[in-house]
Amino acid sequence: MSDAAPLPLPVARSIASLRQTVGDWRANGLRIGFVPTMGALHAGHLSLVEMARARADRVVVSIFVNPTQFGPSEDFSKYPRQERADAARLAAFGVDVLYAPTVDEMYPAGATTAVTVGGVTDRLEGVCRPGHFSGVATVVTKLLNQVRPDLAVFGEKDYQQLLVVRRMVADLDLAVDIVPGPTVREADGLAMSSRNAYLSSEDRAVAAALPATLSFVASQLRGGLDAAPLLEAGRTRLLKAGFSEVQYLDLADAETLAPLDRADRPARLLVAAKVGATRLIDNVAV
Ligand code: PAF
């Protein structure tokens, strides 16, 4: 099919056209669900779409590869972009509008405002990816203002991001329900991620050690054992399996992400590790 052929669902490229559509729905008393994405959609995204569909009368999905959440040495330019294939999947899942703004529409010349969330951004991804969460918080604030949904669904795969968005929505009095979506996994446990497309077949085989290690360490932690030796054993296991670097494997309070010595309250086990050039993150409840 040629690139000029129309996409199989309505697409808004500008804030004005999006507001027109969503404004009409709102005037008719319809409940609006929203799923923000960066595209390269997989079954994990589509499960978030299904959750929005089940809770709302109309569903908007955004595809916007947000430059401000990528560091200078990260993968912004090579991030997978496949709008036509994504649009076909969204149409099949009953999405009402695809919102796909340009970078200039989102960040017009002269824009200088950013949103910064404190506390929950201090550790883990906040340390490994300086500036990342400010980019996420800024674009999510803008997307929520542009779409003005009743609810927005965010995947637990990016658990720290989910907490950042919840904090920001509470602190800025944004009138939207944030709904968490469970992580969807491949048959061997690997969490679905657009970045899995970067994995060679050798790296893909190694990557299966990530969920296996998380689930092993989490099961030991649930027995009330001290976290430090278990986390160390988990890091060693990942390196032995072929990961080149473990950036963190940490037990944290499920609400604040403060580090924990043992799982004596609702907790989360979170990991970031590199296989080849690909950085993978994952987490499980403990
Ligand atoms: O999780 C993502 O895909 C992105 O961080 C988000 C929430 C769409 C913001 O760019």
Side-chain angles (χ1 to χ4, degrees):
M1 191 185 289
S2 99
D3 274 357
L7 293 177
L9 80 172
V11 184
R13 304 261 176 214
S14 69
I15 299 168
S17 71
L18 175 75
R19 283 201 170 133
Q20 176 76 56
T21 304
V22 174
D24 289 348
W25 293 340
R26 193 173 303 287
N28 285 301
L30 298 177
R31 187 168 161 77
I32 297 159
F34 176 46
V35 182
T37 82
M38 298 203 301
L41 302 179
H42 49 68
H45 293 112
L46 297 172
S47 76
L48 306 181
V49 170
E50 281 182 323
M51 290 180 69
R53 233 325 17 124
R55 290 165 175 76
D57 302 306
R58 294 287 182 272
V59 175
V60 179
V61 172
S62 63
I63 295 182
F64 180 67
V65 185
N66 174 36
T68 67
Q69 69 187 75
F70 289 79
S73 59
E74 292 183 356
D75 55 344
F76 173 69
S77 56
K78 74 163 187 170
Y79 197 84
R81 288 162 173 87
Q82 45 175 63
E83 187 182 83
R84 186 161 292 279
D86 288 346
R89 301 185 111 180
L90 294 176
F93 274 72
V95 168
D96 296 284
V97 165
L98 165 60
Y99 178 42
T102 61
V103 172
D104 287 344
E105 181 76 359
M106 189 63 80
Y107 299 112
T112 56
T113 302
V115 178
T116 305
V117 178
V120 76
T121 58
D122 289 348
R123 304 183 58 242
L124 310 171
E125 294 299 288
V127 173
C128 296
R129 304 184 67 189
H132 169 67
F133 283 128
S134 178
V136 170
T138 303
V139 83
V140 172
T141 303
K142 287 170 70 70
L143 287 165
L144 292 176
N145 277 332
Q146 292 161 1
V147 180
R148 296 213 300 120
D150 297 284
L151 65 98
V153 191
F154 286 81
E156 287 182 343
K157 156 77 170 44
D158 295 296
Y159 188 78
Q160 193 172 9
Q161 169 174 278
L162 170 66
L163 295 187
V164 169
V165 169
R166 277 200 174 136
R167 180 77 267 155
M168 179 190 89
V169 162
D171 290 353
L172 298 181
D173 310 310
L174 301 182
V176 58
D177 286 339
I178 300 302
V179 180
T183 302
V184 177
R185 297 180 179 280
E186 304 279 0
D188 64 359
L190 183 66
M192 293 210 179
S193 162
S194 306
R195 289 187 167 102
N196 291 352
Y198 299 153
L199 296 169
S200 66
S201 56
E202 293 79 18
D203 291 346
R204 175 63 189 80
V206 171
L210 200 65
T213 302
L214 274 186
S215 113
F216 173 75
V217 174
S219 69
Q220 302 287 305
L221 287 165
R222 284 184 201 114
L225 301 176
D226 278 349
L230 293 173
L231 297 174
E232 191 47 43
R235 284 189 275 269
T236 305
R237 179 173 164 157
L238 288 172
L239 294 171
K240 276 204 181 130
F243 278 85
S244 52
E245 186 188 349
V246 181
Q247 295 187 332
Y248 58 78
L249 173 63
D250 260 18
L251 181 68
D253 181 289
E255 288 303 313
T256 64
L257 291 189
L260 293 181
D261 293 334
R262 59 178 60 80
D264 53 7
R265 70 197 79 168
R268 209 87 191 175
L269 180 65
L270 304 104
V271 68
K274 274 189 170 175
V275 51
T278 307
R279 182 174 187 274
L280 299 176
I281 63 170
D282 199 354
N283 69 87
V284 290
V286 178

